[in-house]
Amino acid sequence: MQDPFDQKKSYILQEIASSVLDASPKGTIDEPCWPIIQTINSHPDMVTTSSCSGRVSVFLEGVKQSDAVNRSIGAKGHEGRWLFVSHDPKELSGWYNRMNFEYVSSGFQIGASTRYILFKFEPLILHVKCRNTIMANRVYQAAMACGFRESGIGTNDIVGIRISIKLDIPIGYFDNQIFKIMVSEEYLQLATKLAEDRFAENFRKLQQLERSMESLRVLSAEASSHIETKEERRERKRKEGLERQRLKRENDDKNSTSQVWSKLTK
């Protein structure tokens, strides 16, 4: 009977190989992500579940609820939509000239229900499902060593690899079916330059992460080519057991600290 992880990985690889569109707004894997996806998926204990190489977007918030208590920031649902999206920095030059914007310098109609227009840069994000907690911890440590400080291990040994170099700038609002921009074209040029700089750093980090994932793949290949003796297997199992105990203690300590903090803040 096939291992559950191997079953899941086989299904994911079939999906990637097919021409079926995925659930992302773009519908396909970003070209810059292909090398690292192939590296990760060639490792027997890892598989990618989602990815984004980084993007610049101009986003119109959705219709906000009138209830101030339940009003959400960002409002992605309720008619929220992208006005412009690009995963390629070469497409950014003069993007605002291709938009149906109206520039305003006064008389702003802003209130609790205002739908803002946001200029955003969102960096690389990868989700990697691992065979077990030990492999997930190795991936997490490799990502952290490459500077992906927002990374974390979630349920089912899925590692979310993230870096905090994003931009989220309000540039206008939606009023009476008009996209009203409250900043000048010069300011949009500045915001675009900031996004281009982040794209460059983003791709540099992506290459660094790919090299780190390749190192994990090579180590795995070398280990699998070695015929393990009974003594080596016993020692490996001992170390894996100690590592699981260490991770459990860390998790228990975090939960305990969280509970104490919760009591103190009540």
Side-chain angles (χ1 to χ4, degrees):
M1 184 176 178
Q2 194 178 30
D3 178 85
F5 172 82
D6 292 327
Q7 287 182 327
K8 180 67 173 179
K9 179 169 182 175
S10 177
Y11 173 78
I12 291 173
L13 294 182
Q14 289 176 16
E15 288 288 297
I16 291 175
S18 72
S19 58
V20 177
L21 296 179
D22 60 38
S24 67
K26 184 183 176 188
T28 57
I29 293 174
D30 300 338
E31 190 67 27
C33 279
W34 273 113
I36 194 169
I37 285 176
Q38 291 170 341
T39 296
I40 290 171
N41 292 347
S42 64
H43 192 292
D45 298 328
M46 297 189 288
V47 65
T48 53
T49 60
S50 66
S51 65
C52 178
S53 64
R55 69 186 178 194
V56 163
S57 65
V58 178
F59 181 73
L60 171 64
E61 291 183 329
V63 177
K64 299 176 181 178
Q65 297 183 39
S66 58
D67 182 356
V69 175
N70 296 320
R71 185 177 294 117
S72 59
I73 296 176
K76 288 191 174 182
H78 306 289
E79 300 180 32
R81 65 184 188 273
W82 281 274
L83 307 179
F84 171 82
V85 181
S86 178
H87 296 77
D88 185 351
K90 294 191 293 292
E91 297 177 349
L92 297 185
S93 179
W95 63 268
Y96 37 84
N97 294 323
R98 305 190 292 272
M99 307 298 295
N100 186 25
F101 286 162
E102 179 181 304
Y103 292 87
V104 294
S105 58
S106 61
F108 306 139
Q109 302 298 314
I110 297 176
S113 62
T114 299
R115 298 172 63 187
Y116 294 104
I117 301 169
L118 307 173
F119 178 85
K120 303 165 73 74
F121 173 79
E122 296 165 288
L124 168 77
I125 182 170
L126 278 173
H127 286 99
V128 182
K129 180 171 177 56
C130 300
R131 185 180 297 276
N132 50 45
T133 302
I134 292 174
M135 190 68 233
N137 194 50
R138 290 173 183 165
V139 174
Y140 168 74
Q141 290 177 345
M144 292 290 284
C146 291
F148 289 83
R149 302 295 183 183
E150 304 300 312
S151 300
I153 303 176
T155 57
N156 298 318
D157 296 315
I158 295 178
V159 184
I161 301 177
R162 307 177 184 87
I163 189 171
S164 182
I165 53 172
K166 67 179 182 178
L167 282 175
D168 205 338
I169 305 172
I171 59 173
Y173 62 98
F174 191 56
D175 179 46
N176 195 26
Q177 302 303 309
I178 298 174
F179 303 120
K180 294 191 174 182
I181 303 303
M182 303 164 61
V183 299
S184 65
E185 285 194 15
E186 288 78 8
Y187 186 88
L188 294 180
Q189 290 174 4
L190 172 61
T192 302
K193 178 62 170 60
L194 292 175
E196 289 170 341
D197 292 343
R198 279 161 175 74
F199 253 131
E201 174 66 5
N202 182 74
F203 290 145
R204 187 182 72 81
K205 287 292 186 183
L206 173 57
Q207 292 174 353
Q208 185 180 356
L209 182 65
E210 182 189 346
R211 291 192 295 269
S212 185
M213 294 298 104
E214 173 65 15
S215 295
L216 289 179
R217 188 193 67 80
V218 170
L219 288 173
S220 175
E222 291 175 348
S224 63
S225 65
H226 172 70
I227 300 176
E228 192 176 44
T229 66
K230 289 182 179 180
E231 290 76 14
E232 288 173 335
R233 184 176 186 277
R234 188 182 301 113
E235 179 64 15
R236 174 173 61 81
K237 289 293 186 179
R238 186 186 70 83
K239 289 181 178 179
E240 289 177 354
L242 291 173
E243 179 68 6
R244 282 193 293 269
Q245 291 175 17
R246 184 184 69 80
L247 292 173
K248 184 178 183 303
R249 285 197 302 271
E250 286 184 357
N251 187 57
D252 290 345
D253 289 344
K254 288 179 181 178
N255 291 337
S256 176
T257 301
S258 177
Q259 291 173 2
V260 170
W261 178 252
S262 178
K263 291 179 180 179
L264 290 173
T265 53
K266 283 184 178 179

